Structures are given as structure tokens and as C-alpha cells.
Amino acid sequence: EQHAAAKAAADAAAAAAKAAVNGATPSVAAVHVDEDQTALPADDTYLSPATLTAAYAAAGVVCHAIDLVSGDDAECDAAFCAVRPPGHHCGRDGVTDGVDTQGYCVLNNVAIGAQYALLRHNYERVLIVDFDVHHGNGTEQIFRHHSGVAFVSVHVYAPEIHFYPCSGPPEHPPAPLSADEHAQSARAVATGNGFLQQSNVLNVPLPLGVTSRQFCDAFETHVLPHMRAFRPQLVLVSVGFDGHCDDPYGQWIGSGITANDYSAVTRMRRDAARECNAPVVSVLEGGYNLNSLRNNVREHCRAMLNDAA
């Protein structure tokens, strides 16, 4: 009975996501495709007859998860969405500026979820934390200078080997926007008087051969201070496990990241979110070794639930 109710709610959310995508404002972050189209304009992202159904359902599941963690009658404070296709490489018009492929992505699930949270649940500050091995270039393009969304990406940046998408380089951003500064900027945007005066995007690039210590330090040194300064009301996580040492992409870049490291950074992010009284919705992105993916998802979910077993 509970499963049927959850499926009905997810189906309804998927229908709403599909309607939003087909209505397509730039901030909804969808790729425009015809129902009978068999391939996107890229050489790595193809559509089967059921791909769009799966993509709409994936975006709908994220919206449903946001419903579950939001409001006075929230059913939980954390949710994990085991969805595919992934989404964080989809930009405003599908393919993001600077690349010619969509990296297996069809709809930007997290971006649709963030927009849904702002419009449906009236959140004012949504933080997206992306720790896939690849830069979340589509999500950054969609939300850069957005008054209601901050974006942090921890990823490998290695243009010397043309590591996709070759974006998210080292930056020297201003200090994280505080909640008070955010409110002032949001009012300015709402009244038509301007956009954010400081960047709402923080890229934390990692090197080839990234070690466990470097990965965890990136969160301690950069991500957590940014979270605490921004004080999000909702945290969305684009979680990719393709940086794991046993994943094909992790092996390519010589990664030393383990399941314990994913668990450790999940606990850090969980504790920082709780300090802000912000619920968390985690959304699957990359991860292509099924054995390591299964283990990483298990440890990630245990950490989200504060389960040490």
C-alpha cells in the first residue's frame, strides 16, 4: 500500500516534471527533444524508445523526494534518489557551452529539483553540492548568478588529458555569500535592480591521481565553510561514484578514493546541513562499475542515516 502510494506520487511528480520540461523556460534546465528522436546531437548520449520515460521519471522522483523532506509535515530529513539517466552535464539548452556532448545526460535532474523546490516549496536558499569525478558544467551554467541557488562542485580538472568536460578550473572566488548578503541580493533581483554581486559558484578542482586525503580536505577546507556561510534551507547533492578507485573513470585518472572516503564526506556534509536545519536530497549521477557502485551507494546511505553498522 505504501509502495503504491509512493509510486503514484512519483508518477504525478514525473508528469509535472515532463510538463515543466515541455514548457521549457531556460531555468528549468531541459534538453529539447522530440518523442520519436533516437539520438541527441552528441556522440555519447543516445535515446532508446524508453529513455524519455525513464528521464521524466528520474526528474519526478527527485521532485517527489523534495516533497518528502519539505514543510511542517515532512516525512524525513534525508532522501537518496537512485535514478538514471544522470543529469548534471545538461545545460540551459541541453549541450552546455564549451562541449559538444551531454555526457550520458538527458535531463538535469538536480536543476529541475532545485527549480521545483524554489517554486513549489518557496525555499529561498538552495545549495547544490556536486562531487562526481566530472565537473557539473550544466548545473553551473544554469544557476550561475542565480539569487536562490548556490553551487559547489568538487571534481577532477585535467585539461592536459582532455578529461571531460574540461571545465571548472581553479578559481579565486570572493568570500561565500552570507545569508544576509544573499537576502539583500535576492531583494535586488526581485525588484529588478540587479543580480548577485558575488559569485554563487565555487569550483574545487582535484588533480590527477587524487588521494583520499586530498578528496576529504577539499570538503573540510572549501565545501563546509561555504555551506555554513550560505546557510541553505535545502541541500541537493549530485553524487557521482565514478571517482572511486575501482571505477573505469577512477582508474583512468589514478584515483585513490575509496568507499570510506565517500562515507566520510557524506557525514561531513550531513552534519553541516543539520547545523543549518536543512534537509538533504541526494541524487545519483555517475558510477559505472556495478560492484563498487553498490558498495558506495550503501555506505553513502548509511552515512546519510547516521548508521555506523
Side-chain angles (χ1 to χ4, degrees), residues 239-262:
V239 54
F241 297 110
D242 42 5
H244 187 271
C245 56
D246 290 334
D247 189 273
Y249 284 104
Q251 291 178 338
W252 181 22
I253 56 131
S255 172
I257 298 172
T258 68
N260 287 337
D261 300 325
Y262 286 123

Side-chain angles (χ1 to χ4, degrees), residues 127 129 150 152 154 174-179 202 204 216-232 268-269 272-273 275-276:
L127 173 67
V129 178
V152 179
V154 179
L177 200 67
S178 72
L202 174 64
V204 186
C216 294
D217 281 350
F219 281 79
E220 293 177 349
T221 305
H222 299 288
V223 178
L224 300 185
H226 206 75
M227 288 183 68
R228 292 180 175 119
F230 185 64
R231 294 212 313 268
M268 293 180 205
R269 191 261 313 132
E275 290 175 24
C276 302

Side-chain angles (χ1 to χ4, degrees), residues 19-308:
V21 168
N22 289 339
T25 62
S27 58
V28 168
V31 57
H32 303 286
V33 293
D34 297 326
E35 295 287 347
D36 58 353
Q37 192 171 345
T38 57
L40 300 176
D43 61 6
D44 66 3
T45 307
Y46 297 91
L47 302 184
S48 72
T51 299
L52 288 179
T53 299
Y56 290 134
V61 165
V62 175
C63 295
H64 179 53
I66 291 169
D67 289 337
L68 293 178
V69 303
S70 300
D72 295 336
D73 57 349
E75 297 184 28
C76 54
D77 64 0
F80 174 73
C81 302
V83 298
R84 288 283 168 88
H88 68 156
H89 296 310
C90 280
R92 287 180 176 270
D93 298 305
V95 175
T96 303
D97 292 345
V99 294
D100 58 4
T101 76
Q102 291 182 200
Y104 318 139
C105 299
V106 178
L107 302 178
N108 194 319
N109 303 313
V110 162
I112 291 171
Q115 189 73 7
Y116 179 83
L118 294 169
L119 297 176
R120 179 66 178 269
H121 293 285
N122 298 314
Y123 286 108
E124 295 180 348
R125 295 188 306 280
V126 176
L127 173 67
I128 300 173
V129 178
D130 187 317
F131 59 95
D132 188 276
V133 74
H134 303 94
H135 177 230
N137 57 326
T139 310
E140 175 178 330
Q141 183 199 53
I142 291 160
F143 289 116
R144 183 176 282 279
H145 303 305
H146 192 291
S147 65
V149 179
F151 175 70
V152 179
S153 181
V154 179
H155 55 272
V156 167
Y157 177 68
E160 64 271 27
I161 64 167
H162 304 286
F163 190 68
Y164 185 87
C166 295
S167 56
E171 295 179 311
H172 301 283
L177 200 67
S178 72
D180 289 342
E181 291 168 328
H182 164 84
Q184 293 173 0
S185 228
R187 285 194 294 271
V189 171
T191 57
N193 293 323
F195 288 91
L196 291 175
Q197 298 303 304
Q198 300 188 56
S199 175
N200 62 327
V201 171
L202 174 64
N203 283 314
V204 186
L206 302 171
L208 292 173
V210 57
T211 65
S212 293
R213 187 67 263 166
Q214 288 172 317
F215 183 61
C216 294
D217 281 350
F219 281 79
E220 293 177 349
T221 305
H222 299 288
V223 178
L224 300 185
H226 206 75
M227 288 183 68
R228 292 180 175 119
F230 185 64
R231 294 212 313 268
Q233 298 165 316
L234 172 70
V235 177
L236 302 179
V237 184
S238 277
V239 54
F241 297 110
D242 42 5
H244 187 271
C245 56
D246 290 334
D247 189 273
Y249 284 104
Q251 291 178 338
W252 181 22
I253 56 131
S255 172
I257 298 172
T258 68
N260 287 337
D261 300 325
Y262 286 123
S263 177
V265 300
T266 298
R267 289 195 300 272
M268 293 180 205
R269 191 261 313 132
R270 176 203 68 202
D271 292 344
R274 287 177 177 172
E275 290 175 24
C276 302
N277 295 315
V280 178
V281 173
S282 183
V283 182
L284 183 62
E285 297 285 357
Y288 307 101
N289 177 315
L290 294 184
N291 288 328
S292 65
L293 178 62
R294 178 177 61 248
N295 295 333
N296 291 327
V297 167
R298 181 182 64 242
E299 295 307 310
H300 176 67
C301 290
R302 282 178 172 173
M304 288 180 68
L305 297 171
N306 201 22
D307 182 358

